[in-house]
């Protein structure tokens, strides 16, 4: 049974619920803000699914049905959490790009006046931590059977050694 995007969105939203900027927009009603938030989350989901496809070995393909807003597979809780964590990484990756642009925009003298160095360092450290945590999650996911959660092993007896 396919997994609805809403399941993934809700998990992702709970991870970033304290970030009010994600959910509030100027001159927009709450309903319209949620439509925008869901659209952004959809983009992060597509990027997260692509990242999993390219970097892990899995028994499923992580294909999406954009028209029906579902993942084609019946995802496990582990897979839902992994996708939501990668969505969070993609979300902060956008801010990281803006941070890089901000650094280039101001001269070192300007930055001394505004002194956002601590905020930049804190954000960069947090972003790197999210990326490291996700790399560990993907490695752990790749090394386990998706349905049982047991570690995958190699049956050496199936090979003949001479």
């Amino acid at each position: 049974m396919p997994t609805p995007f809403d399941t993934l969105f809700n998990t992702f939203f709970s991870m970033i619920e304290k970030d009010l900027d994600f959910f509030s927009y100027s001159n927009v009603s709450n309903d319209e803000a949620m439509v925008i938030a869901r659209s952004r989350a959809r983009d992060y989901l597509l990027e997260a699914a692509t990242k999993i496809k390219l970097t892990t070995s899995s028994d499923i393909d992580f294909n999406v049905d954009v028209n029906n807003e579902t993942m084609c597979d019946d995802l496990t809780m582990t897979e839902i959490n992994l996708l939501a964590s990668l969505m969070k990484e993609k979300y902060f990756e956008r801010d990281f790009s803006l941070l890089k642009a901000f650094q280039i925009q101001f001269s070192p003298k300007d930055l001394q006046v505004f002194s956002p160095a601590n905020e930049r360092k804190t954000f960069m450290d947090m972003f790197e931590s999210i990326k490291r945590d996700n790399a560990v999650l993907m490695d752990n996911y790749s090394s386990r059977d998706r349905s049982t959660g047991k570690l995958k092993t190699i049956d050496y007896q199936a090979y003949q050694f001479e």
Side-chain angles (χ1 to χ4, degrees):
M1 176 175 193
T3 303
F5 283 3
D6 281 337
T7 302
L8 296 149
F9 293 168
N10 292 336
T11 304
F12 168 66
F13 290 156
S14 70
M15 289 180 177
I16 62 164
E17 68 186 338
K18 300 281 186 202
D19 187 353
L20 299 179
D21 290 338
F22 186 84
F23 298 100
S24 63
Y25 305 93
S26 299
N27 301 320
V28 172
S29 71
N30 287 343
D31 290 340
E32 292 170 320
M34 189 49 78
V35 169
I36 294 169
R38 286 177 49 80
S39 174
R40 291 174 67 193
R42 183 181 149 277
D43 292 341
Y44 302 143
L45 174 58
L46 297 177
E47 290 178 41
T50 299
K51 183 171 184 170
I52 289 177
K53 284 181 183 186
L54 295 174
T55 58
T56 65
S57 61
S58 178
D59 299 332
I60 61 172
D61 296 323
F62 288 96
N63 289 329
V64 296
D65 181 348
V66 177
N67 295 329
N68 292 316
E69 292 197 337
T70 61
M71 298 296 294
C72 295
D73 298 293
D74 184 13
L75 301 180
T76 64
M77 283 307 300
T78 300
E79 292 161 342
I80 291 167
N81 285 320
L82 177 58
L83 276 167
S85 293
L86 289 171
M87 290 168 68
K88 179 180 172 184
E89 178 182 326
K90 294 302 179 181
Y91 169 58
F92 284 111
E93 192 174 89
R94 302 284 201 288
D95 286 343
F96 184 76
S97 297
L98 288 174
L99 183 63
K100 287 292 201 184
F102 179 75
Q103 275 183 290
I104 295 168
Q105 188 175 14
F106 293 102
S107 69
K109 185 176 179 182
D110 293 332
L111 291 175
Q112 288 176 357
V113 173
F114 296 110
S115 190
N118 286 339
E119 289 82 5
R120 279 196 322 271
K121 179 164 179 12
T122 301
F123 178 83
M124 290 170 68
D125 290 346
M126 179 197 63
F127 179 63
E128 290 302 319
S129 175
I130 290 169
K131 286 175 43 176
R132 277 192 307 274
D133 291 348
N134 283 344
V136 170
L137 286 173
M138 288 193 300
D139 285 345
N140 286 339
Y141 174 73
S142 289
S143 65
R144 296 186 176 274
D145 179 270
R146 74 177 293 266
S147 56
T148 65
K150 292 182 180 179
L151 285 173
K152 295 177 183 175
T153 58
I154 298 173
D155 181 10
Y156 290 104
Q157 293 178 354
Y159 301 96
Q160 290 186 355
F161 295 102
E162 310 235 358

